[in-house]
Amino acid sequence: MESEPSSESSSESTSSASSYQSNVRFPELQAYAGKTYYAVDRDSAEYPQMFPTSFTITSDTEALNVDGKQELIRNVTSDSGFIALTGEMGHSMGTTLSFEFRPLGGSDSDAVEVLNQGQRLAYSTTMPE
């Protein structure tokens, strides 16, 4: 009868309680992951081209899909109620993606507000009419 210490499996069993979080890179994005957010009344913005028509955070929170282009998320910071994502745009100019949003309404609300250079626009998971 072998009695080898199971050092490998012990680390796995401790995380099984929160196993659904183990495939999430940025836990602060988990509530928003896997949903598509659509711009609410984008044409009313002063500079509508500053805002995507929609965005989706992938369910593993590794990437942000903005208008069909996928951007890898490098960093997430949350302060003053806003969640800021930074990522690689992957364009020849090498621009950094900076994307800030904050939840609107209660915790059960699926609406967020996106901030871009002082401009704000609301987004919702319900597709506009």
Short mmCIF file of all heavy atoms in Angstrom, two decimals, residues 26-70:
data_model
loop_
_atom_site.label_atom_id
_atom_site.label_comp_id
_atom_site.label_asym_id
_atom_site.label_seq_id
_atom_site.Cartn_x
_atom_site.Cartn_y
_atom_site.Cartn_z
N PHE A 26 -9.28 38.48 -14.45
CA PHE A 26 -9.51 39.69 -13.66
C PHE A 26 -10.85 39.57 -12.94
O PHE A 26 -11.89 39.82 -13.55
CB PHE A 26 -9.51 40.92 -14.55
CG PHE A 26 -8.21 41.16 -15.27
CD1 PHE A 26 -8.09 40.92 -16.62
CD2 PHE A 26 -7.09 41.62 -14.58
CE1 PHE A 26 -6.89 41.14 -17.29
CE2 PHE A 26 -5.89 41.83 -15.24
CZ PHE A 26 -5.78 41.59 -16.59
N PRO A 27 -10.85 39.17 -11.67
CA PRO A 27 -12.12 38.96 -10.94
C PRO A 27 -13.02 40.18 -10.93
O PRO A 27 -14.25 40.06 -10.91
CB PRO A 27 -11.66 38.61 -9.53
CG PRO A 27 -10.25 38.16 -9.65
CD PRO A 27 -9.68 38.86 -10.85
N GLU A 28 -12.45 41.39 -10.97
CA GLU A 28 -13.29 42.59 -10.94
C GLU A 28 -14.13 42.76 -12.21
O GLU A 28 -15.08 43.52 -12.24
CB GLU A 28 -12.47 43.85 -10.64
CG GLU A 28 -11.28 44.10 -11.54
CD GLU A 28 -9.99 43.43 -11.06
OE1 GLU A 28 -9.90 42.18 -11.11
OE2 GLU A 28 -9.07 44.15 -10.67
N LEU A 29 -13.79 42.00 -13.25
CA LEU A 29 -14.57 42.05 -14.49
C LEU A 29 -15.60 40.94 -14.58
O LEU A 29 -16.39 40.90 -15.52
CB LEU A 29 -13.64 41.93 -15.71
CG LEU A 29 -12.64 43.06 -15.91
CD1 LEU A 29 -11.79 42.77 -17.13
CD2 LEU A 29 -13.35 44.39 -16.06
N GLN A 30 -15.58 40.03 -13.62
CA GLN A 30 -16.41 38.83 -13.74
C GLN A 30 -17.89 39.14 -13.92
O GLN A 30 -18.58 38.48 -14.69
CB GLN A 30 -16.20 37.94 -12.52
CG GLN A 30 -17.00 36.66 -12.64
CD GLN A 30 -16.40 35.55 -11.82
OE1 GLN A 30 -15.56 35.77 -10.97
NE2 GLN A 30 -16.81 34.34 -12.10
N ALA A 31 -18.40 40.14 -13.21
CA ALA A 31 -19.82 40.46 -13.29
C ALA A 31 -20.21 40.94 -14.68
O ALA A 31 -21.38 40.89 -15.07
CB ALA A 31 -20.18 41.54 -12.26
N TYR A 32 -19.23 41.42 -15.45
CA TYR A 32 -19.51 41.99 -16.78
C TYR A 32 -19.12 41.05 -17.90
O TYR A 32 -19.39 41.31 -19.06
CB TYR A 32 -18.76 43.31 -16.94
CG TYR A 32 -18.97 44.23 -15.76
CD1 TYR A 32 -18.03 44.31 -14.74
CD2 TYR A 32 -20.14 44.97 -15.64
CE1 TYR A 32 -18.24 45.11 -13.64
CE2 TYR A 32 -20.36 45.77 -14.55
CZ TYR A 32 -19.41 45.85 -13.55
OH TYR A 32 -19.63 46.63 -12.46
N ALA A 33 -18.45 39.96 -17.56
CA ALA A 33 -17.89 39.07 -18.58
C ALA A 33 -18.98 38.28 -19.29
O ALA A 33 -19.99 37.90 -18.69
CB ALA A 33 -16.89 38.12 -17.94
N GLY A 34 -18.76 38.03 -20.56
CA GLY A 34 -19.67 37.19 -21.34
C GLY A 34 -20.94 37.87 -21.78
O GLY A 34 -21.80 37.24 -22.38
N LYS A 35 -21.09 39.16 -21.49
CA LYS A 35 -22.27 39.89 -21.92
C LYS A 35 -21.87 40.91 -22.97
O LYS A 35 -20.77 41.45 -22.92
CB LYS A 35 -22.90 40.68 -20.75
CG LYS A 35 -23.33 39.83 -19.58
CD LYS A 35 -23.82 40.75 -18.47
CE LYS A 35 -24.04 39.98 -17.19
NZ LYS A 35 -24.23 40.88 -16.05
N THR A 36 -22.78 41.17 -23.89
CA THR A 36 -22.54 42.23 -24.87
C THR A 36 -23.30 43.47 -24.43
O THR A 36 -24.48 43.40 -24.11
CB THR A 36 -22.99 41.79 -26.27
OG1 THR A 36 -22.25 40.63 -26.65
CG2 THR A 36 -22.73 42.89 -27.30
N TYR A 37 -22.59 44.57 -24.39
CA TYR A 37 -23.19 45.86 -24.02
C TYR A 37 -23.35 46.70 -25.27
O TYR A 37 -22.43 46.84 -26.06
CB TYR A 37 -22.30 46.59 -23.01
CG TYR A 37 -22.32 45.95 -21.65
CD1 TYR A 37 -21.42 44.95 -21.31
CD2 TYR A 37 -23.26 46.32 -20.70
CE1 TYR A 37 -21.45 44.34 -20.07
CE2 TYR A 37 -23.30 45.73 -19.45
CZ TYR A 37 -22.39 44.74 -19.15
OH TYR A 37 -22.43 44.15 -17.91
N TYR A 38 -24.56 47.26 -25.44
CA TYR A 38 -24.86 48.06 -26.62
C TYR A 38 -24.99 49.53 -26.21
O TYR A 38 -25.55 49.83 -25.15
CB TYR A 38 -26.17 47.61 -27.26
CG TYR A 38 -26.14 46.16 -27.68
CD1 TYR A 38 -26.66 45.17 -26.86
CD2 TYR A 38 -25.58 45.79 -28.90
CE1 TYR A 38 -26.62 43.83 -27.23
CE2 TYR A 38 -25.54 44.45 -29.28
CZ TYR A 38 -26.06 43.48 -28.44
OH TYR A 38 -26.01 42.17 -28.81
N ALA A 39 -24.51 50.42 -27.06
CA ALA A 39 -24.61 51.85 -26.79
C ALA A 39 -26.08 52.27 -26.77
O ALA A 39 -26.86 51.88 -27.63
CB ALA A 39 -23.86 52.65 -27.84
N VAL A 40 -26.43 53.04 -25.76
CA VAL A 40 -27.78 53.57 -25.66
C VAL A 40 -27.75 54.98 -26.24
O VAL A 40 -27.04 55.84 -25.73
CB VAL A 40 -28.25 53.61 -24.18
CG1 VAL A 40 -29.63 54.23 -24.08
CG2 VAL A 40 -28.24 52.21 -23.58
N ASP A 41 -28.48 55.18 -27.33
CA ASP A 41 -28.58 56.51 -27.93
C ASP A 41 -27.20 57.10 -28.25
O ASP A 41 -26.87 58.21 -27.88
CB ASP A 41 -29.36 57.45 -26.99
CG ASP A 41 -29.95 58.63 -27.75
OD1 ASP A 41 -29.96 58.60 -29.00
OD2 ASP A 41 -30.39 59.59 -27.09
N ARG A 42 -26.39 56.33 -28.95
CA ARG A 42 -25.03 56.75 -29.30
C ARG A 42 -25.01 58.04 -30.11
O ARG A 42 -24.10 58.85 -29.99
CB ARG A 42 -24.35 55.61 -30.08
CG ARG A 42 -22.92 55.87 -30.49
CD ARG A 42 -22.33 54.60 -31.09
NE ARG A 42 -20.99 54.82 -31.60
CZ ARG A 42 -20.69 54.83 -32.89
NH1 ARG A 42 -21.63 54.63 -33.79
NH2 ARG A 42 -19.46 55.03 -33.27
N ASP A 43 -26.03 58.24 -30.95
CA ASP A 43 -26.07 59.43 -31.81
C ASP A 43 -26.22 60.72 -31.01
O ASP A 43 -25.96 61.80 -31.52
CB ASP A 43 -27.18 59.31 -32.84
CG ASP A 43 -26.94 58.14 -33.78
OD1 ASP A 43 -25.77 57.77 -33.99
OD2 ASP A 43 -27.94 57.60 -34.31
N SER A 44 -26.66 60.61 -29.76
CA SER A 44 -26.83 61.81 -28.95
C SER A 44 -25.51 62.29 -28.36
O SER A 44 -25.42 63.39 -27.83
CB SER A 44 -27.82 61.55 -27.81
OG SER A 44 -27.21 60.70 -26.85
N ALA A 45 -24.48 61.47 -28.44
CA ALA A 45 -23.17 61.87 -27.90
C ALA A 45 -22.57 62.97 -28.76
O ALA A 45 -22.82 63.04 -29.97
CB ALA A 45 -22.23 60.67 -27.86
N GLU A 46 -21.78 63.83 -28.12
CA GLU A 46 -21.16 64.93 -28.85
C GLU A 46 -20.22 64.40 -29.93
O GLU A 46 -20.16 64.92 -31.04
CB GLU A 46 -20.40 65.82 -27.87
CG GLU A 46 -20.07 67.18 -28.44
CD GLU A 46 -19.42 68.09 -27.41
OE1 GLU A 46 -19.55 67.82 -26.20
OE2 GLU A 46 -18.78 69.06 -27.83
N TYR A 47 -19.48 63.34 -29.60
CA TYR A 47 -18.57 62.71 -30.55
C TYR A 47 -18.87 61.22 -30.58
O TYR A 47 -18.17 60.43 -29.93
CB TYR A 47 -17.11 62.95 -30.16
CG TYR A 47 -16.75 64.40 -30.07
CD1 TYR A 47 -16.62 65.04 -28.85
CD2 TYR A 47 -16.55 65.16 -31.24
CE1 TYR A 47 -16.31 66.38 -28.76
CE2 TYR A 47 -16.24 66.50 -31.16
CZ TYR A 47 -16.11 67.12 -29.93
OH TYR A 47 -15.81 68.45 -29.85
N PRO A 48 -19.91 60.80 -31.32
CA PRO A 48 -20.29 59.38 -31.29
C PRO A 48 -19.16 58.44 -31.74
O PRO A 48 -19.09 57.30 -31.30
CB PRO A 48 -21.49 59.29 -32.22
CG PRO A 48 -21.62 60.60 -32.89
CD PRO A 48 -20.78 61.59 -32.17
N GLN A 49 -18.25 58.91 -32.60
CA GLN A 49 -17.17 58.05 -33.08
C GLN A 49 -16.20 57.66 -31.96
O GLN A 49 -15.42 56.74 -32.11
CB GLN A 49 -16.43 58.71 -34.25
CG GLN A 49 -15.62 59.95 -33.89
CD GLN A 49 -16.45 61.24 -33.89
OE1 GLN A 49 -17.67 61.20 -33.90
NE2 GLN A 49 -15.76 62.38 -33.86
N MET A 50 -16.28 58.36 -30.82
CA MET A 50 -15.42 58.01 -29.69
C MET A 50 -15.92 56.77 -28.96
O MET A 50 -15.23 56.23 -28.10
CB MET A 50 -15.35 59.17 -28.68
CG MET A 50 -14.58 60.37 -29.19
SD MET A 50 -14.73 61.80 -28.08
CE MET A 50 -14.05 61.17 -26.56
N PHE A 51 -17.13 56.34 -29.27
CA PHE A 51 -17.73 55.23 -28.54
C PHE A 51 -18.06 54.09 -29.48
O PHE A 51 -18.61 54.30 -30.55
CB PHE A 51 -19.03 55.70 -27.85
CG PHE A 51 -18.79 56.73 -26.80
CD1 PHE A 51 -18.97 58.07 -27.07
CD2 PHE A 51 -18.38 56.35 -25.52
CE1 PHE A 51 -18.74 59.02 -26.09
CE2 PHE A 51 -18.16 57.31 -24.54
CZ PHE A 51 -18.33 58.65 -24.83
N PRO A 52 -17.73 52.87 -29.07
CA PRO A 52 -18.11 51.72 -29.89
C PRO A 52 -19.62 51.52 -29.85
O PRO A 52 -20.28 51.93 -28.90
CB PRO A 52 -17.39 50.55 -29.22
CG PRO A 52 -17.19 50.98 -27.80
CD PRO A 52 -17.03 52.48 -27.83
N THR A 53 -20.17 50.91 -30.90
CA THR A 53 -21.60 50.60 -30.88
C THR A 53 -21.87 49.49 -29.90
O THR A 53 -22.94 49.42 -29.31
CB THR A 53 -22.09 50.19 -32.29
OG1 THR A 53 -21.22 49.19 -32.80
CG2 THR A 53 -22.11 51.37 -33.23
N SER A 54 -20.88 48.62 -29.67
CA SER A 54 -21.05 47.56 -28.68
C SER A 54 -19.68 47.09 -28.21
O SER A 54 -18.68 47.31 -28.87
CB SER A 54 -21.82 46.37 -29.27
OG SER A 54 -21.02 45.73 -30.25
N PHE A 55 -19.66 46.46 -27.03
CA PHE A 55 -18.44 45.84 -26.55
C PHE A 55 -18.81 44.62 -25.72
O PHE A 55 -19.88 44.55 -25.14
CB PHE A 55 -17.55 46.82 -25.76
CG PHE A 55 -18.08 47.20 -24.40
CD1 PHE A 55 -17.73 46.50 -23.26
CD2 PHE A 55 -18.92 48.30 -24.26
CE1 PHE A 55 -18.21 46.87 -22.01
CE2 PHE A 55 -19.41 48.67 -23.01
CZ PHE A 55 -19.05 47.96 -21.88
N THR A 56 -17.89 43.65 -25.69
CA THR A 56 -18.07 42.43 -24.92
C THR A 56 -16.76 42.11 -24.24
O THR A 56 -15.71 42.15 -24.86
CB THR A 56 -18.45 41.24 -25.84
OG1 THR A 56 -19.53 41.62 -26.67
CG2 THR A 56 -18.82 40.02 -25.03
N ILE A 57 -16.84 41.78 -22.95
CA ILE A 57 -15.67 41.27 -22.24
C ILE A 57 -15.78 39.74 -22.30
O ILE A 57 -16.82 39.20 -21.96
CB ILE A 57 -15.64 41.77 -20.79
CG1 ILE A 57 -15.48 43.30 -20.77
CG2 ILE A 57 -14.51 41.11 -20.00
CD1 ILE A 57 -15.73 43.95 -19.43
N THR A 58 -14.73 39.08 -22.77
CA THR A 58 -14.80 37.63 -22.92
C THR A 58 -15.01 36.98 -21.55
O THR A 58 -14.62 37.53 -20.53
CB THR A 58 -13.53 37.07 -23.58
OG1 THR A 58 -12.39 37.44 -22.80
CG2 THR A 58 -13.36 37.59 -25.00
N SER A 59 -15.61 35.80 -21.55
CA SER A 59 -15.99 35.16 -20.28
C SER A 59 -14.79 34.83 -19.41
O SER A 59 -14.91 34.74 -18.20
CB SER A 59 -16.83 33.92 -20.54
OG SER A 59 -16.19 33.09 -21.47
N ASP A 60 -13.59 34.68 -20.00
CA ASP A 60 -12.40 34.44 -19.18
C ASP A 60 -11.72 35.76 -18.79
O ASP A 60 -10.66 35.74 -18.18
CB ASP A 60 -11.42 33.52 -19.91
CG ASP A 60 -10.99 34.09 -21.26
OD1 ASP A 60 -11.34 35.26 -21.58
OD2 ASP A 60 -10.27 33.39 -22.00
N THR A 61 -12.32 36.88 -19.15
CA THR A 61 -11.84 38.25 -18.91
C THR A 61 -10.45 38.50 -19.48
O THR A 61 -9.76 39.41 -19.06
CB THR A 61 -11.85 38.64 -17.41
OG1 THR A 61 -10.85 37.92 -16.70
CG2 THR A 61 -13.21 38.40 -16.77
N GLU A 62 -10.05 37.72 -20.49
CA GLU A 62 -8.74 37.90 -21.11
C GLU A 62 -8.75 39.00 -22.16
O GLU A 62 -7.72 39.59 -22.46
CB GLU A 62 -8.29 36.59 -21.80
CG GLU A 62 -8.02 35.45 -20.86
CD GLU A 62 -6.58 35.44 -20.35
OE1 GLU A 62 -5.72 36.04 -21.02
OE2 GLU A 62 -6.34 34.85 -19.30
N ALA A 63 -9.92 39.25 -22.76
CA ALA A 63 -9.97 40.16 -23.90
C ALA A 63 -11.26 40.96 -23.91
O ALA A 63 -12.24 40.60 -23.27
CB ALA A 63 -9.84 39.38 -25.21
N LEU A 64 -11.21 42.05 -24.66
CA LEU A 64 -12.35 42.93 -24.85
C LEU A 64 -12.63 42.97 -26.34
O LEU A 64 -11.72 43.23 -27.13
CB LEU A 64 -12.00 44.33 -24.33
CG LEU A 64 -13.00 45.45 -24.53
CD1 LEU A 64 -14.20 45.25 -23.62
CD2 LEU A 64 -12.36 46.79 -24.21
N ASN A 65 -13.86 42.65 -26.72
CA ASN A 65 -14.25 42.76 -28.12
C ASN A 65 -14.96 44.09 -28.32
O ASN A 65 -16.00 44.32 -27.71
CB ASN A 65 -15.17 41.62 -28.53
CG ASN A 65 -14.42 40.30 -28.62
OD1 ASN A 65 -13.34 40.25 -29.19
ND2 ASN A 65 -14.98 39.26 -28.06
N VAL A 66 -14.39 44.95 -29.15
CA VAL A 66 -14.96 46.26 -29.40
C VAL A 66 -15.31 46.33 -30.88
O VAL A 66 -14.43 46.27 -31.73
CB VAL A 66 -13.96 47.39 -29.05
CG1 VAL A 66 -14.57 48.75 -29.32
CG2 VAL A 66 -13.53 47.28 -27.61
N ASP A 67 -16.61 46.44 -31.16
CA ASP A 67 -17.08 46.51 -32.55
C ASP A 67 -16.44 45.43 -33.43
O ASP A 67 -15.98 45.70 -34.54
CB ASP A 67 -16.82 47.90 -33.15
CG ASP A 67 -17.80 48.93 -32.62
OD1 ASP A 67 -18.86 48.54 -32.10
OD2 ASP A 67 -17.51 50.14 -32.72
N GLY A 68 -16.37 44.21 -32.91
CA GLY A 68 -15.86 43.10 -33.70
C GLY A 68 -14.36 42.93 -33.69
O GLY A 68 -13.85 41.96 -34.23
N LYS A 69 -13.61 43.84 -33.07
CA LYS A 69 -12.16 43.68 -32.97
C LYS A 69 -11.83 43.23 -31.56
O LYS A 69 -12.30 43.81 -30.59
CB LYS A 69 -11.45 45.01 -33.24
CG LYS A 69 -11.56 45.50 -34.66
CD LYS A 69 -10.58 46.65 -34.88
CE LYS A 69 -10.95 47.48 -36.08
NZ LYS A 69 -11.94 48.53 -35.77
N GLN A 70 -11.00 42.21 -31.45
CA GLN A 70 -10.64 41.70 -30.13
C GLN A 70 -9.33 42.33 -29.66
O GLN A 70 -8.35 42.38 -30.39
CB GLN A 70 -10.49 40.18 -30.16
CG GLN A 70 -10.26 39.62 -28.77
CD GLN A 70 -10.54 38.13 -28.69
OE1 GLN A 70 -11.01 37.54 -29.64
NE2 GLN A 70 -10.24 37.54 -27.58
#
